[in-house]
Amino acid sequence: LKEAGMWELYQDVELPVIPVLHDMEYRGVLVDEAAAQAVLQDMDQAIEGAYARVYEEGLPTDVSVGSTDQLARALEKMGAPIKDRTESKGLLKTDEEHLLEAKAAGWMPTLVDAILYFKGMRKLRGYAQSYLDLRGPDGRLHPDFVQSGYGEETSDDSSQAPVTGRFSCRGPNLQNQPKNDPRYEAWVHRLRDCLIPTPGWSLISADVEQEEPRIMAFINKDRAMLADFLAGIPIYAPMGQIIYGRPISKSGDPSQWYNTKTFFLALCYGADYKKLHEIDPSIPL
């Protein structure tokens, strides 16, 4: 470590964090059992409705939308404009990104929406189930925080897990809780309300707002972005006005704000203008 010039990082940052993580794991997070049971029951009913809608929108009834293989084969027969295939079986990729590409191309948009909503609801249901299944005898979740970045919900074997360089978490992954996706806004709030403070305590939220755009502006010395940050202007607002032709705000236009933010971050990572149409098909190419 000394030869690599990392001794100070190890001594002054990494070592002091160890007892903090120990206390976090030991204390855990309290689960509201009644709230989790209630949302799980309601989500099961909603998933039944989402399942039925998929077939109403045109998926053959002999195909299980819950089966990735069956869905891929069915969409290929139906002419879905998806070019990418899985390496293992050579089937069409039916993840959200590829389904949105098909929708952006004008292929059966209502069916794509129904499939994505069904998949999204099943994923959200997993959160509620994990709250109940992974509780300790004290009614709390005691996740495993991995300081080196190994083990991000991919494998319990660190040799098979990704190395991210940041904290990771598993059992459950409390760093990956549902966020304010407009499609599932009511469900997201209910799920997050299942994690509660100890009586007499409070949960607080602290965040470095627009962290990635700030880093990007600092690195590339973008004058417009730096000026907006110094002026206290939310960085997504100017792009949102360009995209939608009017001023938008996070509170007044949550859906448009979410779309703008998603596209802005995708742009930072190299996406082109076509990505915007995938995110919001109402915007012409």
Side-chain angles (χ1 to χ4, degrees):
L1 290 176
K2 290 180 178 178
E3 290 176 358
M6 299 175 65
W7 179 255
E8 288 76 14
L9 173 64
Y10 170 70
Q11 187 176 46
D12 299 338
V13 177
E14 298 293 349
L15 280 180
V17 167
I18 292 174
V20 177
L21 291 181
H22 170 272
D23 289 348
M24 290 169 62
E25 293 176 346
Y26 179 80
R27 188 179 301 277
V29 178
L30 187 61
V31 175
D32 185 330
E33 181 180 0
Q37 292 280 12
V39 71
L40 192 62
Q41 182 177 355
D42 292 345
M43 291 189 86
D44 283 339
Q45 294 181 358
I47 289 171
E48 288 182 12
Y51 182 86
R53 185 184 162 216
V54 169
Y55 298 98
E56 293 171 0
E57 296 296 343
L59 189 71
T61 55
D62 60 343
V63 176
S64 172
V65 66
S67 167
T68 302
D69 290 0
Q70 290 187 34
L71 179 62
R73 293 188 179 97
L75 295 189
E76 183 169 15
K77 289 182 180 179
M78 297 169 70
I82 300 174
K83 297 180 180 179
D84 295 337
R85 295 178 177 271
T86 61
E87 294 182 3
S88 58
K89 299 182 180 180
L91 299 174
L92 295 186
K93 291 187 176 182
T94 58
D95 55 22
E96 181 173 5
E97 179 181 355
H98 288 85
L99 287 174
L100 286 176
E101 288 179 1
K103 177 181 176 181
W107 185 81
M108 302 189 71
T110 55
L111 174 59
V112 171
D113 285 342
I115 293 172
L116 288 176
Y117 188 76
F118 171 77
K119 286 187 170 190
M121 287 298 296
R122 284 211 314 178
K123 181 178 180 180
L124 288 178
R125 186 193 185 282
Y127 288 103
Q129 192 67 60
S130 70
Y131 296 157
L132 296 171
D133 293 346
L134 299 178
R135 290 175 302 155
D138 57 356
R140 294 173 175 269
L141 299 172
H142 295 276
D144 176 21
F145 288 98
V146 187
Q147 188 169 352
S148 62
Y150 287 104
E152 268 189 282
E153 287 291 300
T154 303
S155 171
D156 290 331
D157 179 3
S158 63
S159 67
Q160 300 297 320
V163 183
T164 63
R166 65 172 175 82
F167 289 116
S168 61
C169 181
R170 59 190 176 188
N173 185 356
L174 290 181
Q175 291 176 302
N176 182 27
Q177 295 305 296
K179 296 183 179 180
N180 291 326
D181 186 327
R183 295 171 296 178
Y184 314 103
E185 185 172 5
W187 295 111
V188 166
H189 286 305
R190 290 188 63 183
L191 285 169
R192 296 179 78 90
D193 286 345
C194 292
L195 304 180
I196 58 175
T198 301
W201 292 57
S202 298
L203 292 177
I204 64 171
S205 175
D207 184 26
V208 179
E209 288 190 347
Q210 304 156 8
E211 182 177 9
E212 289 166 304
R214 290 177 188 272
I215 294 172
M216 188 176 73
F218 175 79
I219 292 174
N220 66 18
K221 308 301 181 186
D222 185 285
R223 294 181 181 179
M225 292 178 66
L226 291 172
D228 287 343
F229 279 126
L230 289 173
I233 298 174
I235 201 63
Y236 306 120
M239 179 171 284
Q241 184 166 359
I242 294 171
I243 292 172
Y244 291 101
R246 60 178 174 79
I248 66 169
S249 66
K250 186 175 182 179
S251 58
D253 310 275
S255 179
Q256 288 83 0
W257 188 269
Y258 177 81
N259 291 339
T260 300
K261 178 180 178 180
T262 302
F263 176 64
F264 189 103
L265 296 177
L267 191 66
C268 291
Y269 287 99
D272 62 14
Y273 69 95
K274 296 179 182 178
K275 188 68 177 179
L276 180 59
H277 186 61
E278 294 174 19
I279 295 169
D280 188 348
S282 68
I283 299 173
L285 290 175

